[in-house]
Each structure stands twice: as structure tokens, then as C-alpha cells.
Amino acid sequence: MRSQHEPQVFSAVIKHSQMEGEFLHEMSNTYLINKTSLKDITWENLCIPEMLIYGMRIIGFPSLQKETYENWISINNQTYLLTPFITNPQVTLISEEEFDKLGDKSGYRWSIFYTLSRPGFSQDLSQALIQITAHCPAGPPQYGSLLYLESTGEQWEVKSSYGLYNQ
């Protein structure tokens, strides 16, 4: 059941993030889960309702089910090849070697290189959680975000994002 929803989630994320014409690493990104402590990115911290802190509007994922978060953590403990799940021809999937090589070439200095984690799903497949990162070799934009998506029948829609970092 999961396999039929993953391509739809990836397609919604690609469309939402305006990744057309850019490069996407063909392996899933596990950095957040395997290289950080996750102490600030707990389910409890992600579920915060909308609030104002020092004039900044902070929007969490108040509808995020704990099982969605736990599924996202468990599915991303190891890397996976995304090629079978990416059905959107507007992005160019590239290998690790190409990812490093293109980033060093002057003709690609202003390109944006993306990575995605695999989505975590709720048991009823009504919501998903996925991580996206973007890197430009020449400088900004460089960011990482968690995206919360909800299913609207046959379509997936990004409802909210939670910024992990922005440099």
C-alpha cells in the first residue's frame, strides 16, 4: 500500500518546492536521523499549535499523528534508492559522484541540488512527513525543512513546513 503513495508524495513535494530543472540526489537523505540527536525534532515539538514568539509566527504540525513521525524515523534509518519512486520528469536524478562533481563545476555554481528523505505515513495513509534539503554551491539558498502533507483523495498536498535550518 505504501508503494503506491510514495510517488504521489514525491511528486507533490517536487511541485511545491519548485524543483523543476534542478538536480535531485538519487539516494534518500538520512542525515537528520543518523547524524543528529533529534532532541529538538521530537514529535512533541513538531505538534505545537500556531504561536507568536517575539513577533515571529511559528506554525507547527498540530495534526501530526505520532505514528506518522515514528514511521518517518524508522523508514529513514538507512538510505534507499529513490529512482523507483520519482516519476516526475522535471527533475534530474543524479548519483553521489555526479552530485559532488557537478557542485565543483563553474557552470553549475548557481544550480540547486536537492535531497529528500523517504516519507513517513500514518497508518490510514492520510498524512505524510518528509525532509527536504537544498544546496547551491555558490551560496544561498541552503535550507532544510520538514514538510507535512495530507491526502485529499487521490492527491497529496503540502499543508505546512517546519524549518530545520536556513543559511
Side-chain angles (χ1 to χ4, degrees):
M1 191 66 130
R2 172 189 183 87
S3 62
Q4 73 185 38
H5 291 277
E6 267 186 289
Q8 295 170 350
V9 168
F10 285 123
S11 183
V13 169
I14 288 168
K15 182 179 178 184
H16 171 79
S17 302
Q18 300 174 346
M19 295 167 63
E20 253 183 81
E22 301 297 349
F23 299 97
L24 176 61
H25 197 294
E26 69 181 2
M27 295 300 287
S28 65
N29 184 350
T30 62
Y31 179 82
L32 188 64
I33 291 154
N34 293 327
K35 304 284 193 273
T36 65
S37 68
L38 286 176
K39 64 181 166 77
D40 295 327
I41 307 168
T42 63
W43 173 73
E44 291 81 7
N45 288 347
L46 291 175
C47 287
I48 62 169
E50 181 178 333
M51 63 175 72
L52 286 173
I53 300 175
Y54 299 111
M56 292 188 316
R57 187 172 154 215
I58 308 294
I59 302 173
F61 307 142
S63 301
L64 180 66
Q65 297 172 23
K66 189 167 187 172
E67 64 194 27
T68 306
Y69 174 82
E70 289 171 350
N71 183 257
W72 177 70
I73 295 291
S74 68
I75 197 72
N76 286 293
N77 279 322
Q78 60 184 355
T79 59
Y80 291 91
L81 186 64
L82 297 179
T83 308
F85 307 108
I86 306 294
T87 58
N88 193 318
Q90 283 90 13
V91 294
T92 303
L93 286 163
I94 57 175
S95 67
E96 178 90 33
E97 185 178 287
E98 291 173 297
F99 195 85
D100 295 335
K101 209 182 291 186
L102 289 177
D104 290 336
K105 290 186 177 181
S106 62
Y108 294 94
R109 289 189 48 78
W110 294 102
S111 297
I112 301 177
F113 297 87
Y114 289 93
T115 65
L116 294 173
S117 68
R118 288 191 63 196
F121 290 101
S122 59
Q123 284 184 346
D124 64 358
L125 298 168
S126 65
Q127 60 180 229
L129 185 65
I130 191 169
Q131 175 192 354
I132 182 173
T133 65
H135 170 72
C136 177
Q142 296 180 12
Y143 68 89
S145 292
L146 288 176
L147 302 178
Y148 170 76
L149 296 92
E150 288 182 355
S151 175
T152 56
E154 291 295 313
Q155 298 288 324
W156 284 88
E157 184 179 342
V158 175
K159 293 291 188 175
S160 187
S161 67
Y162 185 92
L164 301 171
Y165 62 88
N166 190 2
Q167 300 174 353

